[in-house]
Amino acid sequence: MPSIALPNGFDPRPPQKQYMRYFDHGGLRAGVCWPRRFGKDLTAVHQTVKMMFERPGMYFHMLPNHKQARKVIWDGFDNTGRKTLDVAMPMALRAETNKTEMKITLKNGAIWQLVGSDYYDSLVGSNPFGIVMSEAALSDPRAWSMFRPILAGNGGWSSFISTPRGYNHFHDIIKLAKANDKWFHSHLTALETGHIPMDVLDDERAQMPDELFRQEYLCDFSAANVGAIFGRYIEQMEKQGRVCELTADPHAEVWVTSDIGYRDKAAWVWWRRMRGGFEVFHYDDGSGMDAEEWVERLSKQPKADVLVLPHDARVKTFQSKRSSVETFLANPPWPNCEVRVNEVRRKADSINAGRMVLRTLRVSSAPVCEPFLHAMRAYSFKYDEETKTFSSEPEHDWSSHTADAFMEGAARLQQIEPPKPPPKIIVPPLHNTFTLEKLWETAMPVPDGRL
Protein backbone atom coordinates (compact mmCIF):
# COMPACT_ATOMS: atom_id res chain seq x y z
CA MET A 1 0.00 0.00 0.00
CA PRO A 2 1.42 3.41 -0.92
CA SER A 3 2.26 5.68 2.00
CA ILE A 4 -0.13 8.54 2.77
CA ALA A 5 1.13 11.71 4.40
CA LEU A 6 -1.28 13.54 6.71
CA PRO A 7 -2.95 15.89 6.20
CA ASN A 8 -3.76 14.27 2.87
CA GLY A 9 -4.36 16.61 -0.07
CA PHE A 10 -4.65 19.69 2.12
CA ASP A 11 -2.35 22.71 2.07
CA PRO A 12 -3.36 24.82 5.08
CA ARG A 13 -3.13 28.60 5.08
CA PRO A 14 -1.03 30.27 7.83
CA PRO A 15 -3.88 30.65 10.40
CA GLN A 16 -4.91 27.05 9.72
CA LYS A 17 -1.31 25.89 10.21
CA GLN A 18 -1.22 27.64 13.59
CA TYR A 19 -4.41 25.84 14.62
CA MET A 20 -3.07 22.45 13.58
CA ARG A 21 0.34 23.07 15.13
CA TYR A 22 -1.33 23.88 18.46
CA PHE A 23 -2.94 20.43 18.61
CA ASP A 24 0.20 18.73 17.26
CA HIS A 25 1.99 20.04 20.36
CA GLY A 26 -0.57 18.67 22.80
CA GLY A 27 -3.11 21.51 22.98
CA LEU A 28 -6.54 20.60 24.36
CA ARG A 29 -8.91 23.56 23.83
CA ALA A 30 -9.44 25.90 20.87
CA GLY A 31 -11.84 28.78 20.23
CA VAL A 32 -11.88 29.80 16.56
CA CYS A 33 -13.99 32.57 15.02
CA TRP A 34 -13.28 32.65 11.28
CA PRO A 35 -15.31 34.13 8.40
CA ARG A 36 -17.51 32.19 6.05
CA ARG A 37 -15.77 29.91 3.53
CA PHE A 38 -12.38 30.00 5.24
CA GLY A 39 -12.29 26.23 5.72
CA LYS A 40 -13.11 25.89 9.41
CA ASP A 41 -14.55 22.39 9.05
CA LEU A 42 -11.99 21.37 6.45
CA THR A 43 -9.11 22.27 8.77
CA ALA A 44 -10.71 20.60 11.78
CA VAL A 45 -11.45 17.34 9.92
CA HIS A 46 -7.88 17.03 8.62
CA GLN A 47 -6.46 17.71 12.08
CA THR A 48 -8.81 15.15 13.64
CA VAL A 49 -7.55 12.45 11.26
CA LYS A 50 -4.00 13.13 12.43
CA MET A 51 -5.10 12.83 16.05
CA MET A 52 -6.89 9.54 15.32
CA PHE A 53 -3.58 7.98 14.35
CA GLU A 54 -1.79 9.41 17.37
CA ARG A 55 -4.43 8.14 19.79
CA PRO A 56 -6.97 5.63 18.37
CA GLY A 57 -10.44 6.02 19.85
CA MET A 58 -13.79 7.70 19.27
CA TYR A 59 -13.94 11.21 17.77
CA PHE A 60 -17.03 13.35 17.15
CA HIS A 61 -17.60 16.19 14.69
CA MET A 62 -20.77 17.92 15.91
CA LEU A 63 -22.96 20.36 14.00
CA PRO A 64 -26.17 22.03 15.23
CA ASN A 65 -28.34 19.23 13.85
CA HIS A 66 -28.14 15.86 12.12
CA LYS A 67 -29.49 17.10 8.79
CA GLN A 68 -26.92 19.88 8.60
CA ALA A 69 -24.11 17.45 9.46
CA ARG A 70 -25.00 15.27 6.48
CA LYS A 71 -25.40 18.17 4.07
CA VAL A 72 -22.32 20.19 5.04
CA ILE A 73 -19.75 17.50 5.89
CA TRP A 74 -20.83 14.01 4.83
CA ASP A 75 -21.96 15.10 1.37
CA GLY A 76 -19.72 18.17 1.24
CA PHE A 77 -17.14 19.11 -1.40
CA ASP A 78 -14.04 21.27 -1.16
CA ASN A 79 -13.28 24.18 -3.53
CA THR A 80 -11.63 21.84 -6.05
CA GLY A 81 -14.73 19.65 -6.43
CA ARG A 82 -13.44 16.75 -4.33
CA LYS A 83 -15.53 15.20 -1.55
CA THR A 84 -14.10 16.48 1.72
CA LEU A 85 -14.11 13.16 3.56
CA ASP A 86 -12.73 11.15 0.61
CA VAL A 87 -9.66 13.39 0.65
CA ALA A 88 -9.23 13.60 4.43
CA MET A 89 -9.86 9.87 4.97
CA PRO A 90 -9.16 8.05 1.70
CA MET A 91 -10.41 4.47 1.29
CA ALA A 92 -6.89 3.15 1.82
CA LEU A 93 -7.14 4.28 5.46
CA ARG A 94 -10.65 2.97 6.11
CA ALA A 95 -11.84 -0.35 7.47
CA GLU A 96 -15.57 0.48 7.33
CA THR A 97 -17.90 3.28 6.24
CA ASN A 98 -21.42 3.45 7.72
CA LYS A 99 -23.46 5.89 5.63
CA THR A 100 -26.56 5.61 7.80
CA GLU A 101 -24.78 6.58 11.01
CA MET A 102 -22.28 8.84 9.19
CA LYS A 103 -19.46 6.92 10.83
CA ILE A 104 -16.01 5.98 9.49
CA THR A 105 -13.79 3.36 11.12
CA LEU A 106 -10.11 3.47 10.24
CA LYS A 107 -7.88 0.41 9.93
CA ASN A 108 -6.19 1.21 13.23
CA GLY A 109 -9.59 0.95 15.00
CA ALA A 110 -10.19 4.69 15.47
CA ILE A 111 -13.76 5.88 14.82
CA TRP A 112 -14.89 9.25 13.46
CA GLN A 113 -18.59 10.15 13.51
CA LEU A 114 -20.78 13.08 12.52
CA VAL A 115 -23.41 13.96 15.14
CA GLY A 116 -25.92 16.73 15.86
CA SER A 117 -26.24 18.82 19.00
CA ASP A 118 -30.02 18.41 18.73
CA TYR A 119 -29.70 14.91 20.18
CA TYR A 120 -26.56 15.29 22.28
CA ASP A 121 -28.11 13.49 25.27
CA SER A 122 -28.47 10.30 23.21
CA LEU A 123 -24.65 10.17 23.14
CA VAL A 124 -24.46 9.61 26.89
CA GLY A 125 -22.10 6.73 27.62
CA SER A 126 -19.74 7.48 24.75
CA ASN A 127 -16.12 8.25 25.54
CA PRO A 128 -14.74 10.51 22.79
CA PHE A 129 -11.08 11.53 22.89
CA GLY A 130 -11.78 14.59 20.75
CA ILE A 131 -14.75 16.64 19.64
CA VAL A 132 -15.14 19.45 17.11
CA MET A 133 -18.16 21.67 17.76
CA SER A 134 -18.80 23.20 14.35
CA GLU A 135 -21.12 26.21 14.02
CA ALA A 136 -20.83 26.36 17.79
CA ALA A 137 -22.81 29.62 17.93
CA LEU A 138 -25.85 27.75 16.60
CA SER A 139 -25.39 24.53 18.58
CA ASP A 140 -27.10 23.59 21.81
CA PRO A 141 -24.72 24.88 24.52
CA ARG A 142 -25.65 22.02 26.84
CA ALA A 143 -23.85 19.59 24.56
CA TRP A 144 -20.53 20.98 25.78
CA SER A 145 -21.74 20.75 29.38
CA MET A 146 -22.19 17.01 28.87
CA PHE A 147 -18.86 16.36 27.11
CA ARG A 148 -16.68 18.64 29.25
CA PRO A 149 -16.32 16.20 32.20
CA ILE A 150 -15.74 13.28 29.80
CA LEU A 151 -12.83 15.03 28.11
CA ALA A 152 -11.49 16.25 31.45
CA GLY A 153 -11.44 12.65 32.64
CA ASN A 154 -9.78 11.06 29.62
CA GLY A 155 -7.46 13.92 28.66
CA GLY A 156 -9.33 14.59 25.42
CA TRP A 157 -9.46 17.76 23.36
CA SER A 158 -12.19 20.02 22.01
CA SER A 159 -12.40 22.68 19.31
CA PHE A 160 -15.12 25.32 18.92
CA ILE A 161 -15.37 26.74 15.39
CA SER A 162 -18.01 29.17 14.14
CA THR A 163 -18.96 32.59 12.86
CA PRO A 164 -20.71 34.86 15.42
CA ARG A 165 -24.39 35.00 16.28
CA GLY A 166 -24.48 37.93 18.66
CA TYR A 167 -23.35 37.90 22.27
CA ASN A 168 -24.28 34.31 23.05
CA HIS A 169 -22.50 31.23 24.47
CA PHE A 170 -19.99 31.15 21.58
CA HIS A 171 -18.97 34.71 22.40
CA ASP A 172 -18.30 33.53 25.96
CA ILE A 173 -16.10 30.72 24.58
CA ILE A 174 -14.07 33.16 22.45
CA LYS A 175 -13.60 35.50 25.41
CA LEU A 176 -12.42 32.57 27.53
CA ALA A 177 -10.00 31.40 24.82
CA LYS A 178 -8.54 34.89 24.48
CA ALA A 179 -8.03 35.27 28.23
CA ASN A 180 -6.60 31.78 28.87
CA ASP A 181 -3.04 31.04 27.74
CA LYS A 182 -3.77 27.31 27.63
CA TRP A 183 -6.38 27.79 24.90
CA PHE A 184 -5.79 28.40 21.21
CA HIS A 185 -7.53 31.61 20.15
CA SER A 186 -8.06 32.97 16.65
CA HIS A 187 -10.54 35.68 15.64
CA LEU A 188 -10.14 36.86 12.04
CA THR A 189 -12.14 38.77 9.42
CA ALA A 190 -12.34 38.16 5.68
CA LEU A 191 -10.26 41.31 5.23
CA GLU A 192 -7.47 39.68 7.25
CA THR A 193 -7.65 36.19 5.74
CA GLY A 194 -7.76 37.44 2.14
CA HIS A 195 -9.42 34.22 0.95
CA ILE A 196 -12.17 36.16 -0.87
CA PRO A 197 -11.30 38.84 -3.46
CA MET A 198 -12.28 42.38 -2.51
CA ASP A 199 -14.58 42.81 -5.51
CA VAL A 200 -16.53 39.71 -4.42
CA LEU A 201 -16.76 41.04 -0.87
CA ASP A 202 -18.02 44.38 -2.19
CA ASP A 203 -20.67 42.55 -4.18
CA GLU A 204 -21.71 40.55 -1.11
CA ARG A 205 -21.93 43.71 0.97
CA ALA A 206 -24.18 45.33 -1.63
CA GLN A 207 -26.60 42.35 -1.65
CA MET A 208 -26.74 41.50 2.05
CA PRO A 209 -28.13 43.32 5.09
CA ASP A 210 -25.29 45.18 6.76
CA GLU A 211 -25.67 43.22 10.01
CA LEU A 212 -25.47 39.92 8.13
CA PHE A 213 -22.35 40.96 6.21
CA ARG A 214 -20.65 42.05 9.42
CA GLN A 215 -21.63 38.79 11.06
CA GLU A 216 -20.57 36.41 8.27
CA TYR A 217 -17.50 38.12 6.85
CA LEU A 218 -16.26 40.54 9.50
CA CYS A 219 -16.98 38.15 12.40
CA ASP A 220 -18.51 41.03 14.34
CA PHE A 221 -20.22 39.90 17.55
CA SER A 222 -21.78 43.34 17.99
CA ALA A 223 -23.83 42.87 14.82
CA ALA A 224 -27.39 41.96 15.69
CA ASN A 225 -28.23 38.28 15.32
CA VAL A 226 -29.96 38.77 11.98
CA GLY A 227 -33.14 36.75 11.73
CA ALA A 228 -33.46 36.29 15.50
CA ILE A 229 -37.15 36.24 16.42
CA PHE A 230 -36.95 37.14 20.11
CA GLY A 231 -33.31 38.25 20.41
CA ARG A 232 -33.84 42.01 20.82
CA TYR A 233 -36.67 41.43 23.30
CA ILE A 234 -34.40 39.29 25.49
CA GLU A 235 -31.68 41.95 25.22
CA GLN A 236 -34.16 44.63 26.26
CA MET A 237 -35.32 42.45 29.15
CA GLU A 238 -31.74 42.13 30.41
CA LYS A 239 -31.04 45.87 30.09
CA GLN A 240 -34.19 46.70 32.06
CA GLY A 241 -33.25 44.29 34.86
CA ARG A 242 -36.13 41.92 34.23
CA VAL A 243 -33.80 38.90 34.27
CA CYS A 244 -33.50 38.90 38.03
CA GLU A 245 -33.93 37.02 41.27
CA LEU A 246 -37.61 36.22 41.74
CA THR A 247 -39.42 35.76 45.04
CA ALA A 248 -42.00 33.00 45.22
CA ASP A 249 -45.57 34.20 45.71
CA PRO A 250 -47.67 31.49 47.43
CA HIS A 251 -50.86 33.11 46.16
CA ALA A 252 -49.82 33.28 42.47
CA GLU A 253 -51.35 30.83 40.03
CA VAL A 254 -48.71 28.56 38.46
CA TRP A 255 -48.97 27.33 34.87
CA VAL A 256 -46.72 24.95 32.97
CA THR A 257 -46.76 25.12 29.16
CA SER A 258 -45.01 22.63 26.93
CA ASP A 259 -43.84 21.34 23.59
CA ILE A 260 -43.58 17.58 23.72
CA GLY A 261 -42.09 14.90 21.53
CA TYR A 262 -40.31 11.55 21.79
CA ARG A 263 -37.53 11.64 19.20
CA ASP A 264 -37.39 15.43 19.41
CA LYS A 265 -36.77 17.40 22.58
CA ALA A 266 -39.63 18.11 24.96
CA ALA A 267 -39.61 21.46 26.75
CA TRP A 268 -41.54 22.73 29.80
CA VAL A 269 -41.87 26.35 30.97
CA TRP A 270 -43.12 27.30 34.47
CA TRP A 271 -45.09 30.56 34.70
CA ARG A 272 -46.49 32.60 37.55
CA ARG A 273 -49.66 34.41 36.54
CA MET A 274 -49.67 37.66 38.47
CA ARG A 275 -51.39 41.02 38.48
CA GLY A 276 -49.58 43.22 35.97
CA GLY A 277 -47.92 40.43 33.99
CA PHE A 278 -46.20 37.09 34.14
CA GLU A 279 -42.98 35.51 35.42
CA VAL A 280 -41.01 32.52 34.12
CA PHE A 281 -39.31 30.98 37.16
CA HIS A 282 -38.45 27.38 36.19
CA TYR A 283 -37.58 25.35 33.09
CA ASP A 284 -36.84 21.77 32.05
CA ASP A 285 -36.32 19.82 28.84
CA GLY A 286 -35.03 16.50 27.53
CA SER A 287 -35.45 13.94 24.76
CA GLY A 288 -36.05 10.23 24.37
CA MET A 289 -38.71 10.14 27.12
CA ASP A 290 -42.36 9.13 26.75
CA ALA A 291 -45.31 10.71 28.53
CA GLU A 292 -45.24 8.26 31.48
CA GLU A 293 -41.59 9.10 32.16
CA TRP A 294 -42.31 12.82 31.97
CA VAL A 295 -45.15 12.50 34.50
CA GLU A 296 -42.71 11.04 37.01
CA ARG A 297 -40.01 13.63 36.26
CA LEU A 298 -42.38 16.60 36.45
CA SER A 299 -43.85 15.40 39.75
CA LYS A 300 -40.47 16.09 41.40
CA GLN A 301 -40.45 19.71 40.23
CA PRO A 302 -42.43 22.83 41.29
CA LYS A 303 -46.15 22.17 41.57
CA ALA A 304 -48.46 23.72 38.98
CA ASP A 305 -52.16 24.53 39.04
CA VAL A 306 -52.58 24.23 35.25
CA LEU A 307 -50.64 22.10 32.75
CA VAL A 308 -51.05 23.08 29.09
CA LEU A 309 -50.14 20.55 26.39
CA PRO A 310 -49.73 21.38 22.67
CA HIS A 311 -52.52 20.53 20.25
CA ASP A 312 -50.65 17.53 18.80
CA ALA A 313 -50.58 15.86 22.24
CA ARG A 314 -53.91 14.28 21.25
CA VAL A 315 -52.15 12.14 18.64
CA LYS A 316 -51.49 8.47 19.36
CA THR A 317 -48.28 6.86 18.11
CA PHE A 318 -46.97 3.33 17.69
CA GLN A 319 -44.72 3.98 20.67
CA SER A 320 -47.68 4.37 23.02
CA LYS A 321 -51.12 2.80 23.32
CA ARG A 322 -52.63 6.14 24.29
CA SER A 323 -52.04 9.79 23.54
CA SER A 324 -50.02 12.11 25.76
CA VAL A 325 -53.22 13.88 26.79
CA GLU A 326 -54.78 10.62 27.96
CA THR A 327 -51.64 9.78 29.92
CA PHE A 328 -51.53 13.14 31.71
CA LEU A 329 -55.29 13.12 32.38
CA ALA A 330 -55.08 9.64 33.89
CA ASN A 331 -52.08 10.50 36.05
CA PRO A 332 -51.41 14.24 36.47
CA PRO A 333 -47.92 15.12 37.75
CA TRP A 334 -49.35 17.12 40.67
CA PRO A 335 -52.51 16.76 42.83
CA ASN A 336 -55.46 18.90 41.69
CA CYS A 337 -53.61 19.97 38.53
CA GLU A 338 -55.89 20.88 35.63
CA VAL A 339 -54.69 19.48 32.27
CA ARG A 340 -55.60 21.49 29.17
CA VAL A 341 -54.78 21.25 25.46
CA ASN A 342 -54.00 24.32 23.36
CA GLU A 343 -55.85 24.97 20.14
CA VAL A 344 -54.16 25.03 16.72
CA ARG A 345 -52.95 28.50 15.74
CA ARG A 346 -50.80 30.05 13.03
CA LYS A 347 -47.10 30.29 13.80
CA ALA A 348 -47.17 34.03 13.06
CA ASP A 349 -49.87 34.53 15.73
CA SER A 350 -47.81 32.56 18.25
CA ILE A 351 -44.73 34.66 17.51
CA ASN A 352 -46.69 37.89 17.92
CA ALA A 353 -48.09 36.67 21.24
CA GLY A 354 -44.57 35.81 22.39
CA ARG A 355 -43.26 39.27 21.51
CA MET A 356 -46.13 40.97 23.33
CA VAL A 357 -45.53 39.01 26.52
CA LEU A 358 -41.75 39.53 26.39
CA ARG A 359 -42.23 43.31 26.69
CA THR A 360 -43.19 42.97 30.36
CA LEU A 361 -42.11 39.42 31.26
CA ARG A 362 -39.69 38.78 34.12
CA VAL A 363 -37.43 35.71 34.06
CA SER A 364 -35.53 34.14 36.92
CA SER A 365 -31.77 34.64 36.85
CA ALA A 366 -31.30 31.24 38.54
CA PRO A 367 -29.18 28.66 36.63
CA VAL A 368 -32.26 26.53 35.93
CA CYS A 369 -33.52 29.22 33.51
CA GLU A 370 -30.22 29.76 31.65
CA PRO A 371 -31.06 27.13 28.97
CA PHE A 372 -34.40 28.89 28.44
CA LEU A 373 -32.71 32.25 27.81
CA HIS A 374 -30.05 30.72 25.54
CA ALA A 375 -32.71 29.09 23.38
CA MET A 376 -34.88 32.21 23.22
CA ARG A 377 -31.91 34.26 21.98
CA ALA A 378 -31.07 31.65 19.31
CA TYR A 379 -34.58 31.10 17.91
CA SER A 380 -34.53 32.52 14.38
CA PHE A 381 -36.07 32.51 10.91
CA LYS A 382 -34.73 30.29 8.13
CA TYR A 383 -32.22 31.90 5.80
CA ASP A 384 -32.11 31.10 2.08
CA GLU A 385 -28.51 31.22 0.83
CA GLU A 386 -29.59 31.43 -2.83
CA THR A 387 -32.05 34.32 -2.53
CA LYS A 388 -30.23 35.84 0.48
CA THR A 389 -33.52 36.42 2.27
CA PHE A 390 -35.14 35.20 5.45
CA SER A 391 -38.19 32.97 5.34
CA SER A 392 -41.34 33.68 7.32
CA GLU A 393 -40.93 30.23 8.87
CA PRO A 394 -38.65 29.67 11.90
CA GLU A 395 -35.65 27.35 11.71
CA HIS A 396 -36.32 23.95 13.29
CA ASP A 397 -33.30 23.40 15.52
CA TRP A 398 -32.39 22.84 19.18
CA SER A 399 -33.95 26.15 20.20
CA SER A 400 -37.34 25.73 18.53
CA HIS A 401 -38.85 23.38 21.14
CA THR A 402 -38.13 25.80 23.96
CA ALA A 403 -39.56 28.70 21.95
CA ASP A 404 -42.66 26.67 21.06
CA ALA A 405 -43.26 25.83 24.73
CA PHE A 406 -42.93 29.52 25.57
CA MET A 407 -45.26 30.61 22.77
CA GLU A 408 -47.87 28.03 23.83
CA GLY A 409 -47.98 29.82 27.16
CA ALA A 410 -47.80 33.36 25.82
CA ALA A 411 -50.73 32.80 23.47
CA ARG A 412 -52.86 31.05 26.08
CA LEU A 413 -52.16 33.32 29.03
CA GLN A 414 -52.78 36.47 26.99
CA GLN A 415 -56.37 35.36 26.50
CA ILE A 416 -57.01 35.28 30.24
CA GLU A 417 -57.81 38.27 32.41
CA PRO A 418 -55.07 38.96 34.95
CA PRO A 419 -55.91 38.05 38.56
CA LYS A 420 -57.94 40.66 40.39
CA PRO A 421 -56.09 42.56 43.10
CA PRO A 422 -56.82 41.35 46.66
CA PRO A 423 -59.47 43.43 48.45
CA LYS A 424 -58.05 46.30 50.52
CA ILE A 425 -59.47 47.24 53.92
CA ILE A 426 -58.91 50.94 54.47
CA VAL A 427 -58.45 51.84 58.13
CA PRO A 428 -58.21 55.60 58.79
CA PRO A 429 -55.24 56.65 60.91
CA LEU A 430 -56.00 57.50 64.57
CA HIS A 431 -55.22 61.21 64.14
CA ASN A 432 -58.11 61.45 61.64
CA THR A 433 -60.79 59.88 63.85
CA PHE A 434 -63.76 62.03 64.91
CA THR A 435 -67.01 61.87 66.85
CA LEU A 436 -70.55 62.79 65.84
CA GLU A 437 -70.40 65.85 68.13
CA LYS A 438 -67.34 67.16 66.25
CA LEU A 439 -69.19 66.75 62.98
CA TRP A 440 -72.05 68.92 64.34
CA GLU A 441 -69.59 71.58 65.41
CA THR A 442 -68.18 71.90 61.91
CA ALA A 443 -71.57 72.03 60.19
CA MET A 444 -72.49 75.40 58.60
CA PRO A 445 -75.98 76.72 59.64
CA VAL A 446 -78.47 77.88 56.99
CA PRO A 447 -81.07 80.77 57.31
CA ASP A 448 -84.07 78.48 58.02
CA GLY A 449 -82.20 76.82 60.87
CA ARG A 450 -81.64 73.49 59.10
CA LEU A 451 -78.25 71.94 58.56
Side-chain angles (χ1 to χ4, degrees), residues 141-269:
R142 288 164 302 175
W144 172 233
S145 298
M146 189 188 83
F147 285 112
R148 182 195 290 118
I150 296 174
L151 298 175
N154 64 25
W157 56 269
S158 60
S159 177
F160 301 84
I161 58 177
S162 187
T163 49
R165 284 298 186 279
Y167 293 111
N168 65 358
H169 56 278
F170 179 60
H171 177 256
D172 294 338
I173 289 287
I174 293 298
K175 282 202 307 181
L176 174 62
K178 185 176 182 179
N180 193 325
D181 292 339
K182 294 182 179 179
W183 281 62
F184 175 83
H185 167 262
S186 181
H187 186 176
L188 302 173
T189 72
L191 302 178
E192 295 170 312
T193 60
H195 69 292
I196 299 177
M198 279 304 302
D199 60 327
V200 176
L201 282 178
D202 290 340
D203 187 52
E204 287 288 280
R205 187 192 291 269
Q207 296 184 56
M208 300 168 68
D210 179 67
E211 293 87 351
L212 187 60
F213 180 85
R214 289 162 52 204
Q215 174 181 283
E216 298 297 310
Y217 292 111
L218 302 184
C219 291
D220 186 353
F221 282 99
S222 68
N225 184 4
V226 186
I229 296 173
F230 298 131
R232 68 184 181 93
Y233 294 90
I234 299 297
E235 182 181 2
Q236 185 180 47
M237 182 190 303
E238 291 172 327
K239 288 180 178 178
Q240 294 176 351
R242 289 186 284 115
V243 177
C244 55
E245 184 177 345
L246 300 180
T247 303
D249 181 354
H251 303 293
E253 190 175 48
V254 175
W255 287 52
V256 173
T257 58
S258 62
D259 182 63
I260 59 177
Y262 182 82
R263 175 63 182 85
D264 278 341
K265 184 172 73 175
W268 310 81
V269 179

Side-chain angles (χ1 to χ4, degrees), residues 262-366:
Y262 182 82
R263 175 63 182 85
D264 278 341
K265 184 172 73 175
W268 310 81
V269 179
W270 273 254
W271 305 71
R272 286 196 192 98
R273 178 171 164 251
M274 310 172 69
R275 189 164 63 94
F278 309 101
E279 293 179 344
V280 168
F281 69 94
H282 192 77
Y283 174 77
D284 192 19
D285 61 38
S287 60
M289 298 173 63
D290 57 27
E292 287 82 3
E293 293 171 307
W294 272 114
V295 167
E296 181 180 356
R297 179 160 162 173
L298 292 173
S299 67
K300 301 173 183 177
Q301 303 192 59
K303 179 183 179 300
D305 302 298
V306 181
L307 173 63
V308 180
L309 302 175
H311 66 88
D312 54 2
R314 296 188 179 95
V315 178
K316 296 181 181 180
T317 68
F318 290 112
Q319 291 154 338
S320 177
K321 295 179 181 178
R322 56 185 180 180
S323 68
S324 297
V325 172
E326 292 169 336
T327 299
F328 279 95
L329 284 172
N331 186 24
W334 308 282
N336 303 318
C337 175
E338 181 183 354
V339 179
R340 302 183 187 178
V341 180
N342 250 347
E343 65 273 15
V344 181
R345 62 175 57 84
R346 296 188 313 138
K347 182 64 72 175
D349 294 335
S350 296
I351 290 173
N352 287 335
R355 286 172 169 168
M356 288 293 294
V357 168
L358 282 172
R359 292 173 181 174
T360 56
L361 182 71
R362 297 200 305 167
V363 177
S364 171
S365 57

Side-chain angles (χ1 to χ4, degrees), residues 367-384:
V368 71
C369 285
E370 286 181 3
F372 170 78
L373 290 169
H374 280 310
M376 292 291 286
R377 289 189 194 97
Y379 189 52
S380 59
F381 291 113
K382 292 179 181 178
Y383 183 71
D384 190 325

Side-chain angles (χ1 to χ4, degrees), residues 79-129:
N79 289 338
T80 64
R82 302 173 299 176
K83 291 203 72 172
T84 302
L85 296 182
D86 288 348
V87 176
M89 288 175 273
M91 293 300 172
L93 301 180
R94 303 186 194 184
E96 183 182 356
T97 301
N98 187 323
K99 295 182 179 180
T100 302
E101 297 182 8
M102 295 188 291
K103 182 166 63 176
I104 295 173
T105 304
L106 300 184
K107 290 181 178 179
N108 69 343
I111 298 174
W112 179 91
Q113 187 172 10
L114 275 169
V115 295
S117 74
D118 53 338
Y119 58 91
Y120 72 91
D121 47 358
S122 68
L123 302 171
V124 171
S126 60
N127 187 33
F129 289 165

Side-chain angles (χ1 to χ4, degrees), residues 38-82:
F38 189 58
K40 296 183 290 293
D41 285 298
L42 187 66
T43 305
V45 168
H46 278 284
Q47 181 60 32
T48 302
V49 177
K50 293 170 64 179
M51 307 295 281
M52 291 168 70
F53 278 94
E54 292 181 8
R55 188 185 182 191
M58 171 69 77
Y59 293 82
F60 289 150
H61 196 104
M62 176 177 284
L63 275 87
N65 58 66
H66 186 270
K67 181 180 178 180
Q68 189 175 4
R70 182 174 294 279
K71 177 182 178 181
V72 175
I73 307 297
W74 191 261
D75 295 330
F77 290 82
D78 62 19
N79 289 338
T80 64
R82 302 173 299 176

Side-chain angles (χ1 to χ4, degrees), residues 394-411:
E395 188 75 57
H396 183 77
D397 57 15
W398 67 272
S399 67
S400 57
H401 307 286
T402 303
D404 283 341
F406 166 77
M407 291 186 292
E408 290 284 340

